[in-house]
Amino acid sequence: MSSIKGPGGKKTGTVNSSKVRVEKSAAVDRSPRVAEDRLNVSASAQQIDELFQQLADLEDVNAARVKSVRESIKKGNFPIDYQRLADKILELSDELNSENDD
């Protein structure tokens, strides 16, 4: 059997033909190191984000206007601009046809 000597001549372990024993003299930190991810957003970008949030919270349909138009139609006094209606129908038709051609 022979002994293993470390720095300063201290005995740190013993070697036997059938067994090896090593004494740990210092603890090793084996915890993984994780890098921090950071994102810096400018004040302008933060304002834009806030505006988008406000837009998302808005209603898509003006419920009061819809109610008013429905009441007018029921009463028979809703003015209809037939020329404008026809123009909008033709615009929609042209848009649909151009989408199908692509």
Side-chain angles (χ1 to χ4, degrees):
M1 177 178 359
S2 63
S3 63
I4 300 173
K5 294 186 180 177
K10 293 184 179 179
K11 185 176 177 182
T12 58
T14 306
V15 177
N16 191 338
S17 60
S18 61
K19 295 181 184 178
V20 175
R21 185 179 67 122
V22 178
E23 295 175 9
K24 293 183 181 179
S25 59
V28 178
D29 181 16
R30 295 183 197 229
S31 59
R33 303 207 182 231
V34 179
E36 280 188 39
D37 290 336
R38 294 179 187 217
L39 175 66
N40 294 323
V41 181
S42 70
S44 298
Q46 290 174 352
Q47 287 176 333
I48 290 171
D49 185 54
E50 288 174 18
L51 289 172
F52 274 114
Q53 290 298 324
Q54 290 174 5
L55 284 173
D57 294 340
L58 291 176
E59 292 184 30
D60 292 335
V61 177
N62 183 342
R65 175 75 176 136
V66 171
K67 184 178 178 181
S68 171
V69 169
R70 283 186 179 165
E71 291 295 321
S72 294
I73 291 171
K74 284 181 185 178
K75 293 177 184 175
N77 56 0
F78 183 77
I80 298 175
D81 183 349
Y82 294 103
Q83 184 60 48
R84 184 169 178 235
L85 179 61
D87 290 342
K88 291 293 182 179
I89 291 172
L90 290 174
E91 280 180 36
L92 179 60
S93 176
D94 289 343
E95 286 178 24
L96 292 173
N97 285 333
S98 68
E99 287 178 9
N100 289 335
D101 292 339
D102 292 338

